[in-house]
Amino acid sequence: MEVAVCLKRVPDTASKIRVGEDGKTIDTSDVQYIVSPYDEFAIEEAIAIKERQGDTQVTVVTLGDTAAQKELRLALAMGADSGILIKSDSALDANQVARNLAAALEAKSCDLILFGRQSADDGSGQVGPMVARILGMPCVTDVVSVELLDGAVRVEREVEGAREVIESSLPVTLTAQKGLNTPRYASLKGIMQAKKKKIEEVEAQPFDARFPVKSLSPPPARPEGKIVGEGVDAVAELVRLLREEAKVL
Amino acid sequence: MEPYESVDFFGIEELLSEDERLVQHSVREFVSDKVIPDIAEHFEKATFPRDLIPQLGELGVLGANLEGYGCAGLNNVAYGLIMQELERGDSGVRSFVSVQGALVMYPIYAFGTEEQKQKFLPKLATGEFIGCFGLTEPDHGSNPNGMITNAVKDGDSYILNGNKMWITNGCIADVAVVWAKVDGVIRGFVVEKGTPGFSTTLQEHKFSLRASVTSELHFEDCRIPAANLLPETGGLKSPLKCLTQARYGIAWGALGSAMASFDCARKYSVSRIQFGKPIASFQLVQAKLAEMFSEITKGQLMVHQLGRLKDQNKLRPQHVSMAKRNNCYQALEIARTARDMLGANGVTYEYCVGRHMLNMESVKTYEGTHDIHTLILGQEVTGIAAYE
Ligand SMILES: Cc1cc2nc3c(=O)[nH]c(=O)nc-3n(C[C@H](O)[C@H](O)[C@H](O)COP(=O)(O)OP(=O)(O)OC[C@H]3O[C@@H](n4cnc5c(N)ncnc54)[C@H](O)[C@@H]3O)c2cc1C
């Protein structure tokens, strides 16, 4: 079986984010990078499938600058077989990213392509479904379990108040939701083995930007809190304000 | 709790290779997820988190800088980073890994026969076997050459007599690497749990390394197969070679402890308001933070080069003495200062600084006390040994 996982290098969710000088991208100085957390679920699922099924190749793909090698290498250390780095030094829009990913994956004829449900930075949640569309595959988003059947796949999604079970033929694209699995740590032996695994590099193609970012601004500063009084005496006033002003009661 | 932030003021991460960074990342995550949440409780109850052992094996940190026999085969900088990350969690957990790798697996690897390596190393690497290292005796600590424990050859066996004290992992060990004199010469032996004449007692009532098992080992006419002698051992230099490996890891580990204390003190001082402003805005507090920050950075630069020297086979034990001595001393000072900066909160288990402070008292003492390393450096600069 051919499985691909698309992953993204994103600022560590613990980093403090500042808007860069261009007003469109973030200031990358002092930023630590990680594999986007939802993508880690996708990587884990692919490796777990490989372990269960045997005879499976897991390719991890990312679009980013050369530094993104590290995130691919982490996925290889977790157990993926090979990597593809689509090199681009500038920020691309979701259309450009999806077209590049689809171009890199087309020749592979994957049975399964996995994504995280959204990236931890832009969070647009579009790239997975767009790649599926370009490659003419069905796509199921936000899956919390994956079971391979003969030539098909049964997945579960959590929908408001219920669990939805969906069966799809292969090939299919899935996006991973939290709860799908617990990603493993890259073992130290895995890290050593990953040094020998191949990462193919290709240049990103100049597809059209369809919806480029025009500006980026930090959220407005939170207004100062209000102290309505102290102790039991303040309760009545607090309840009144919550009811009448904040309208939350 | 806010996520941990390490110190990298001089951009040391840029000096690391990709795999060294990945190793650090993996162990850091492991420590955040698996060590930190329960460690204060273990410390308070004086229990060792045994459930971590197989997980540490799976992660690959046991004997990580050895080649083959199920070991990861990492270089020494990556190995040092592992120690740093583990000790950021707790010195007890790092001690477990140091003893297993540098003091049990290393001597079997360096001084053992092929059969001994095959028999013990793979199981020690996964954590299926736990090891301990018995050098110190009740009356011989800084001066191990004076040890009383002895072994007498008797046919196909050796008969061991003597007592060891302060032995990390002793009571839980499946294999003990024990140092004893044969005709006045120090040799190393592997003694397996359950061998008649070998017993252990738990050393309780410690206020330091409480999340680590410390024990006495007793040998009373303990008969072990002659095949359990580590054949390449001979003289004090053999255990000292092991200690150089372990001290190397401690030099890195102490920095992890120091960074945990610093991180805690910095965050606390920014959020703690007294006299209407954060205590971090007072000059005395800033001076303390600036001092910690500088010492950590100096220590990082030292161990980084120490690691590169070790990888190039240019490392001398005296280099390790300087780094072990300096970094343990600084980590203890930093923990004490951090403890102070947290006021009353600093004496609770809710914050890590008190635990690190207490742990560093042991770490400063074991593997050659601060003063013994001072004398080693004194000998290095003067050519005169002052400790004999
Ligand atoms: C928690 C813990 C775990 C340990 N784990 C192990 C283990 O796994 N295996 C093991 O073998 N040992 C272990 N040790 C023992 C440790 O290595 C010894 O405690 C250490 O070597 C010091 O020996 P000592 O306690 O006998 O002190 P002593 O040697 O009696 O020293 C007491 C004081 O005298 C000073 N001193 C001694 N000689 C001189 C000199 N010539 N000149 C100047 N000052 C001197 C020392 O610096 C120290 O300040 C452990 C210790 C602790 C606390």
Side-chain angles (χ1 to χ4, degrees):
Chain A
M1 212 178 143
E2 251 336 296
V3 180
V5 183
C6 297
L7 61 90
K8 186 175 184 186
R9 170 181 164 90
V10 299
D12 190 335
T13 39
S15 299
K16 291 181 193 81
I17 301 298
R18 288 180 303 267
V19 176
E21 275 175 21
D22 65 359
K24 292 181 190 173
T25 55
I26 63 160
D27 177 356
T28 55
S29 53
D30 291 337
V31 171
Q32 297 283 326
Y33 288 88
I34 55 168
V35 173
S36 184
Y38 289 110
D39 299 349
E40 282 196 12
F41 300 127
I43 300 166
E44 173 61 36
E45 199 59 27
I47 298 166
I49 288 171
K50 176 188 159 98
E51 285 170 350
R52 283 201 303 269
Q53 296 280 118
D55 195 25
T56 297
Q57 284 295 310
V58 177
T59 307
V60 286
V61 191
T62 194
L63 183 145
D65 57 16
T66 357
Q69 278 235 12
K70 172 165 159 268
E71 280 61 40
L72 286 178
R73 198 68 70 183
L74 177 70
L76 297 177
M78 287 170 75
D81 299 291
S82 62
I84 303 174
L85 172 63
I86 308 167
K87 280 204 294 189
S88 166
D89 288 331
S90 49
L92 304 184
D93 81 352
N95 177 57
Q96 293 168 308
V97 173
R99 294 212 171 263
N100 271 294
L101 291 173
L105 289 174
E106 199 158 20
K108 289 230 154 248
S109 351
C110 297
D111 303 290
L112 186 61
I113 303 178
L114 293 161
F115 289 83
R117 76 184 293 257
Q118 61 180 59
S119 61
D121 52 358
D122 300 337
S124 77
Q126 302 194 62
V127 174
M130 284 169 94
V131 170
R133 169 72 208 262
I134 297 164
L135 295 176
M137 285 187 193
C139 178
V140 188
T141 56
D142 298 0
V143 304
V144 292
S145 96
V146 177
E147 188 192 341
L148 280 175
L149 312 170
D150 199 17
V153 64
R154 175 183 296 148
V155 301
E156 294 184 9
R157 322 173 61 235
E158 256 162 25
V159 290
E160 197 66 46
R163 209 163 234 250
E164 196 174 65
V165 178
I166 296 176
E167 268 185 36
S168 164
S169 58
L170 295 178
V172 66
T173 293
L174 305 174
T175 74
Q177 167 66 299
K178 189 175 174 166
L180 177 59
N181 52 42
T182 310
R184 67 193 68 194
Y185 302 99
S187 78
L188 308 189
K189 266 195 256 174
I191 292 171
M192 292 305 275
Q193 280 156 8
K195 285 166 85 164
K196 298 184 204 106
K197 294 179 182 173
K198 218 176 140 249
I199 295 180
E200 184 192 332
E201 291 191 10
V202 296
E203 293 295 332
Q205 300 174 45
F207 292 104
D208 285 346
R210 293 280 175 80
F211 32 87
V213 175
K214 285 291 172 206
S215 79
L216 190 67
S217 52
R222 259 187 293 169
E224 240 180 85
K226 189 198 268 180
I227 295 173
V228 294
E230 268 185 37
V232 190
D233 299 344
V235 174
E237 175 66 358
L238 183 63
V239 170
R240 188 190 69 80
L241 288 172
L242 288 173
R243 190 171 284 145
E244 293 172 13
E245 271 191 27
K247 301 198 164 61
V248 292
L249 290 183
Chain B
M1 209 175 70
E2 279 183 77
Y4 163 67
E5 286 166 71
S6 57
V7 173
D8 189 13
F9 191 48
F10 273 34
I12 290 171
E13 193 179 328
E14 282 170 33
L15 303 175
L16 300 178
S17 67
E18 194 173 72
D19 43 303
E20 288 163 352
R21 289 181 205 196
L22 287 176
V23 167
Q24 180 171 26
H25 171 81
S26 230
V27 181
R28 180 170 295 181
E29 300 272 288
F30 179 86
V31 168
S32 295
D33 299 345
K34 308 283 177 175
V35 178
I36 305 268
D38 301 327
I39 198 66
E41 196 181 328
H42 279 290
F43 188 98
E44 194 171 357
K45 293 189 178 148
T47 51
F48 176 70
R50 285 187 74 155
D51 57 316
L52 286 181
I53 300 172
Q55 302 179 61
L56 289 164
E58 195 174 326
L59 186 61
V61 304
L62 305 176
N65 57 349
L66 303 179
E67 287 278 352
Y69 307 99
C71 302
L74 301 182
N75 73 12
N76 286 292
V77 170
Y79 174 81
L81 290 165
I82 296 173
M83 298 297 133
Q84 182 184 303
E85 294 306 323
L86 290 173
E87 198 146 1
R88 193 264 296 188
D90 189 78
S91 301
V93 175
R94 200 273 306 138
S95 294
F96 174 85
V97 174
S98 280
V99 168
Q100 183 92 348
L103 297 179
V104 177
M105 296 174 73
Y106 172 79
I108 295 172
Y109 184 86
F111 308 126
T113 62
E114 191 51 40
E115 289 85 71
Q116 289 169 335
K117 293 181 203 178
Q118 298 286 356
K119 181 172 176 191
F120 296 113
L121 291 179
K123 286 185 175 162
L124 287 161
T126 58
E128 187 182 337
F129 277 178
I130 299 171
C132 74
F133 176 89
L135 179 67
T136 305
E137 298 185 354
D139 295 326
H140 296 91
S142 298
N143 176 24
N145 221 4
M147 73 170 62
I148 296 168
T149 303
N150 66 83
V152 177
K153 183 104 194 248
D154 181 44
D156 272 354
S157 324
Y158 279 95
I159 298 174
L160 238 67
N161 275 292
N163 292 295
K164 298 288 177 184
M165 202 173 178
W166 303 112
I167 306 308
T168 303
N169 298 349
C171 295
I172 58 169
D174 302 284
V175 285
V177 169
V178 179
W179 301 91
K181 280 183 179 165
V182 180
D183 299 326
V185 178
I186 296 177
R187 309 291 306 266
F189 297 88
V190 181
V191 182
E192 292 181 65
K193 184 166 91 181
T195 308
F198 172 35
S199 61
T200 60
T201 41
L202 183 65
Q203 290 185 249
E204 291 175 292
H205 311 299
K206 296 181 303 203
F207 65 67
S208 175
L209 284 191
R210 287 176 61 78
S212 168
V213 174
T214 311
S215 321
E216 287 185 52
L217 313 181
H218 315 288
F219 303 94
E220 256 188 274
D221 291 330
C222 174
R223 184 180 284 273
I224 56 166
N228 284 19
L229 169 73
L230 295 170
E232 301 300 323
T233 55
L236 185 63
K237 67 176 190 303
S238 305
L240 288 186
K241 272 190 179 162
C242 304
L243 294 176
T244 299
Q245 303 299 314
R247 290 165 179 172
Y248 169 79
I250 294 170
W252 283 85
L255 279 178
S257 167
M259 283 193 234
S261 297
F262 173 70
D263 186 46
C264 182
R266 186 171 59 85
K267 287 181 178 139
Y268 188 87
S269 65
V270 170
S271 64
R272 174 70 180 167
I273 312 287
Q274 286 295 288
F275 302 97
K277 39 185 155 166
I279 59 169
S281 57
F282 301 120
Q283 291 183 359
L284 288 176
V285 172
Q286 290 196 1
K288 287 172 188 163
L289 289 169
E291 193 65 29
M292 295 176 174
F293 191 42
S294 304
E295 288 307 330
I296 290 170
T297 300
K298 287 195 260 180
Q300 281 181 303
L301 291 166
M302 178 142 69
V303 290
H304 187 84
Q305 175 64 0
L306 191 75
R308 297 289 180 230
L309 286 175
K310 194 167 191 300
D311 280 331
Q312 295 160 15
N313 276 321
K314 292 182 188 162
L315 185 83
R316 294 169 55 222
Q318 291 81 351
H319 294 134
V320 181
S321 284
M322 181 182 281
K324 191 271 179 188
R325 175 183 182 275
N326 181 76
N327 289 3
C328 293
Y329 177 80
Q330 294 300 344
L332 177 57
E333 287 301 309
I334 287 169
R336 285 175 176 160
T337 310
R339 209 295 309 143
D340 174 75
M341 290 167 67
L342 265 71
N345 275 323
V347 307
T348 68
Y349 286 127
E350 189 157 338
Y351 294 88
C352 68
V353 292
R355 183 167 48 82
H356 280 294
M357 178 186 79
L358 294 170
N359 279 337
M360 285 316 297
E361 292 288 355
S362 286
V363 180
K364 186 187 175 211
T365 292
Y366 69 21
E367 300 275 347
T369 65
H370 181 84
D371 285 348
I372 290 295
H373 288 298
T374 307
L375 299 182
I376 291 171
L377 295 175
Q379 182 183 15
E380 173 71 16
V381 284
T382 63
I384 305 166
Y387 47 85
E388 288 168 340

